[in-house]
């Protein structure tokens, strides 16, 4: 299984220090987050932006990780979870960058998918921006070394309430995940302050590089 994606290679000529995967929100597409790369100022990292597998019901160019309409709530989640895990695992061979040097991140619904599948993968770290946690999270059999996780959320978010981030933080801490949590004077968005925190988190996961 493969997903369509946009990639931005590392600017240096040597092999990238790491891979950063960014999952877009409901109704957006792979291009939505690609414009953030210059602001992150991480020239030694490769970025990949996948398109979600399902069409978005309200726009021909939008994509969805699963349905969020009331009549079909969460339809497609199980299938998407399986596809996304397989695709991320395939990147290790395709990019020659191990999962241990991969950061998985996402915005809104993409943040929810990041927390869902990322806890099952031996990645370097997880980032959820304006996201939430699904009710039933699967953990690997050996869950003693789950990825460090950054959760960022706007205090004035009217799409995904701040309480969703608080719940995600408390749930992940109960799994003994190392959680960095920050709230911002923001709505349902990614602002420059968040990008600065994201950059610092990514660099903290690569201390020897």
């Amino acid at each position: 299984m493969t997903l369509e994606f946009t990639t931005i290679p590392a600017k240096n000529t040597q092999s990238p220090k790491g891979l950063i995967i960014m999952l877009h929100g409901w109704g957006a597409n792979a291009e939505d987050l690609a414009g953030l790369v210059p602001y992150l100022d991480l020239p030694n990292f490769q970025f990949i932006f996948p398109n979600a597998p399902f069409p978005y019901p309200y726009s021909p160019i939008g994509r969805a990780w699963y349905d969020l309409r009331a009549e079909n709530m969460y339809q497609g989640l199980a299938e998407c979870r399986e596809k996304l895990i397989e695709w991320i695992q395939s990147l290790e061979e395709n990019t020659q960058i191990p999962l241990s040097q991969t950061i998985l991140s996402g915005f809104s619904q993409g943040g929810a998918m990041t927390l869902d599948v990322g806890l099952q993968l031996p990645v370097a770290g997880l980032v959820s921006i304006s996201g939430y946690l699904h009710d039933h999270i699967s953990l690997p059999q050996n869950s003693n070394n789950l990825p460090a996780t950054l959760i960022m959320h706007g205090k004035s978010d009217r799409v995904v309430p701040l309480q969703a981030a608080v719940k995600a933080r408390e749930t992940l801490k109960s799994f003994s995940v190392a959680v960095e949590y920050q709230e911002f004077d923001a709505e349902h968005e990614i602002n420059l302050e968040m990008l600065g925190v994201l950059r610092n988190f990514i660099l903290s996961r690569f201390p020897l590089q």
Side-chain angles (χ1 to χ4, degrees):
M1 170 60 207
T2 187
L3 297 174
E4 296 177 350
F5 62 89
T6 294
T7 186
I8 298 178
K11 288 188 176 180
N12 63 2
T13 55
Q14 302 169 347
S15 59
K17 291 181 178 178
L19 176 66
I20 300 170
I21 305 168
M22 302 187 79
L23 309 182
H24 63 75
W26 194 55
N29 58 41
E31 302 301 323
D32 185 57
L33 299 178
L36 300 178
V37 172
Y39 298 97
L40 287 169
D41 188 25
L42 293 168
N44 297 324
F45 289 81
Q46 180 176 345
F47 288 79
I48 289 187
F49 306 87
N51 266 326
F54 300 113
Y56 177 62
Y58 306 118
S59 166
I61 63 171
R63 306 296 297 175
W65 298 102
Y66 50 84
D67 208 330
L68 283 176
R69 292 174 293 178
E71 65 271 24
N72 297 314
M73 188 63 74
Y74 291 109
Q75 183 175 315
L77 173 56
E79 180 184 353
C80 178
R81 178 186 294 126
E82 183 177 340
K83 288 180 179 180
L84 187 56
I85 289 174
E86 289 180 5
W87 178 77
I88 292 171
Q89 289 173 329
S90 76
L91 292 178
E92 194 166 40
E93 180 177 351
N94 294 338
T95 66
Q96 301 301 305
I97 302 172
L99 287 176
S100 62
Q101 293 172 237
T102 297
I103 299 283
L104 179 60
S105 62
F107 174 73
S108 194
Q109 190 186 45
M113 289 307 302
T114 291
L115 297 178
D116 189 308
V117 307
L119 292 172
Q120 303 179 57
L121 296 167
V123 294
L126 305 176
V127 182
S128 173
I129 307 172
S130 303
Y132 52 96
L133 193 66
H134 298 141
D135 287 338
H136 302 290
I137 295 295
S138 298
L139 296 177
Q141 289 184 340
N142 179 17
S143 57
N144 295 326
N145 192 25
L146 296 171
T149 300
L150 169 63
I151 296 175
M152 296 189 284
H153 216 94
K155 297 176 185 176
S156 304
D157 195 326
R158 290 173 288 184
V159 177
V160 179
L162 180 63
Q163 185 58 34
V166 175
K167 179 182 177 182
R169 177 189 66 190
E170 297 309 310
T171 302
L172 293 184
K173 282 188 172 181
S174 74
F175 296 153
S176 298
V177 174
V179 179
E180 180 180 337
Y181 176 88
Q182 291 204 36
E183 298 176 0
F184 298 83
D185 292 323
E187 297 187 5
H188 194 66
E189 61 185 305
I190 303 176
N191 62 25
L192 289 175
E193 188 180 4
M194 291 174 174
L195 290 175
V197 174
L198 172 58
R199 182 179 189 275
N200 289 337
F201 176 79
I202 291 169
L203 291 175
S204 75
R205 306 310 302 159
F206 295 84
L208 301 179
Q209 305 187 44

